[in-house]
Amino acid sequence: MKTNDIEKLIIIGSGPAGWTAAIYAARANLNPLVFAGRPKTVPTTILPGGQLMLTTEVENYPGFPHGVTGPIMMSYFEQQAVRFGTRIVTDSGQTPDVSDPDDGHNYSYHDCKNVDLSRRPFIVVGEDDKEYRAHSVIIATGATANWLGLRNEQRLATSGGGVSACAVCDGALPIFRDKPLGVVGGGDSAVEEATYLTKFASKVYMIHRRDELRASKIMAERAKSNHKIEFAWNKTVVDVLGDNMITGVRLKDTVTGKESELPLGGLFMAIGHTPATAFLDGQLELDAKGYIKLKDPYRSTTSVEAVFAAGDCVDSVYRQAVTAAGMGCKAALDAERWLGAQGIE
């Protein structure tokens, strides 16, 4: 299983990319060890199961014709990985029997505190300061959507109450159809989200704190020419209204300070994402936004040999479960081939 107490492969992260990498690596007899992360308490914490743990209904992932909740889908991924021999770092040192709904609650998964990629074998440090050595590492820590930080925003986002950070993921759900929807943001991503939502909404309001969009000229013109898009210029959201379901937002004018209410049937955040790469402490080459750079866009190789990356910590464009899973597959295959080339079986 190990070579002189050195893990063949450690996977950091447990979203679609991490679990898919674990499934492929486990089936290749690499006996991978996964740092699954902690329940989200601070922005830099890796969320076990990734951002899908905050998604109520997933209807665009192949193989689930009737849809599935994000947490259930991630539990299926995890069960499949463990079935083939994936191990998970927990406070007890034991991998839970995830096929037993009660057993999984008896263990606390661990996050990765930091890594040392400057020497071989690599050193991965757990949150309890225990060091693990590895011949290869897959980084699949994802990225977190940026939120406004409002209490009711977070409550309705996690309860399926009509607040989301992904229009492509959730915009087609019945709860949003033929209703006025809001998009917070003014960049290219916000325009893309708003344009996509016009397929389903009665109207889409773009809420922006300035009096002009930050989006590129062509994207801005596309939004302004869409008759279903209206602009709430010089406005910030100071509260999200609604108990079980969003009913609207309270806006504050950034010029006059005057507050007003805007009735909405859904609210989408489009104010960027933050990749969970700070723990790397500059040891891998990143782009200007903090996403991991790949040496080859068709592979998962990074600036450090034997360190591979997959999922939303790499991908600032698509950020979909299915693309993350595909990247996790590639990372596991790349790691397997690298290990084989080194004679590590």
Side-chain angles (χ1 to χ4, degrees):
M1 295 293 188
K2 302 178 186 178
T3 304
N4 298 325
D5 282 331
I6 304 173
E7 301 288 345
K8 295 178 186 175
L9 172 64
I10 287 179
I11 300 170
I12 306 174
S14 60
W19 287 133
T20 302
I23 291 167
Y24 273 79
R27 293 187 75 250
N29 293 324
L30 298 184
N31 196 30
L33 183 67
V34 173
F35 281 84
R38 280 282 188 189
K40 188 173 175 62
T41 54
V42 294
T44 55
T45 302
I46 301 169
L47 181 67
Q51 291 297 293
L52 280 180
M53 299 301 287
L54 304 176
T55 303
T56 51
E57 289 294 328
V58 180
E59 296 186 326
N60 57 3
Y61 198 94
F64 295 94
H66 303 293
V68 62
T69 68
I72 288 177
M73 188 168 82
M74 285 298 91
S75 74
Y76 290 161
F77 274 47
E78 182 180 2
Q79 288 176 42
Q80 191 171 354
V82 171
R83 174 192 169 197
F84 291 114
T86 295
R87 294 165 299 132
I88 305 171
V89 182
T90 65
D91 54 0
S92 69
Q94 301 179 53
T95 294
D97 178 5
V98 292
S99 63
D100 178 354
D102 295 323
D103 192 55
H105 298 296
N106 297 327
Y107 300 86
S108 180
Y109 291 173
H110 277 211
D111 207 346
C112 168
K113 188 175 182 180
N114 56 63
V115 295
D116 184 352
L117 306 178
S118 65
R119 52 177 166 158
R120 296 178 186 278
F122 302 126
I123 303 295
V124 179
V125 182
E127 60 186 46
D128 57 357
D129 292 323
K130 182 177 178 180
E131 293 187 352
Y132 299 78
R133 299 190 298 167
H135 290 296
S136 62
V137 173
I138 292 176
I139 310 294
T141 46
T144 57
N146 297 334
W147 298 88
L148 298 174
L150 304 173
R151 182 187 63 82
N152 212 32
E153 166 203 39
Q154 294 297 299
R155 186 180 67 82
L156 292 176
T158 55
S159 66
V163 178
S164 170
C166 181
V168 174
C169 308
D170 301 328
L173 293 175
I175 61 172
F176 296 120
R177 287 182 178 269
D178 301 316
K179 295 180 180 179
L181 305 178
V183 173
V184 180
D188 283 352
S189 294
V191 171
E192 290 175 355
E193 300 267 286
T195 303
Y196 179 80
L197 290 172
T198 59
K199 300 177 182 179
F200 316 105
S202 59
K203 186 176 291 296
V204 177
Y205 294 92
M206 289 195 68
I207 304 167
H208 189 41
R209 59 186 175 181
R210 299 186 177 91
D211 60 359
E212 62 180 41
L213 296 174
R214 293 184 294 104
S216 59
K217 185 175 180 180
I218 189 170
M219 293 294 288
E221 290 302 319
R222 182 179 302 173
K224 292 174 181 177
S225 64
N226 191 315
H227 72 280
K228 272 195 171 184
I229 296 178
E230 287 194 17
F231 298 90
W233 300 117
N234 297 317
K235 299 291 191 298
T236 59
V237 177
V238 294
D239 197 10
V240 178
L241 310 176
D243 295 324
N244 297 323
M245 192 72 189
I246 184 175
T247 58
V249 292
R250 181 172 292 114
L251 302 176
K252 182 176 182 178
D253 193 292
T254 59
V255 178
T256 66
K258 183 179 178 180
E259 293 191 359
S260 60
E261 291 187 6
L262 176 65
L264 294 174
L267 183 67
F268 293 81
M269 299 298 148
I271 51 178
H273 287 72
T274 301
T277 56
F279 75 100
L280 295 171
D281 197 27
Q283 296 178 80
L284 289 183
E285 187 177 359
L286 308 177
D287 68 13
K289 295 181 179 179
Y291 291 88
I292 298 172
K293 279 188 176 183
L294 299 181
K295 290 180 65 178
D296 182 335
Y298 298 103
R299 302 288 296 277
S300 64
T301 49
T302 70
S303 57
V304 174
E305 183 182 353
V307 177
F308 309 91
D312 288 7
C313 61
V314 174
D315 177 16
S316 63
V317 178
Y318 298 104
R319 293 192 294 267
Q320 299 297 301
V322 68
T323 52
M327 296 176 74
C329 165
K330 292 198 295 184
L333 293 175
D334 285 340
E336 178 190 0
R337 289 165 182 166
W338 184 87
L339 290 165
Q342 311 306 309
I344 302 171
E345 302 293 342

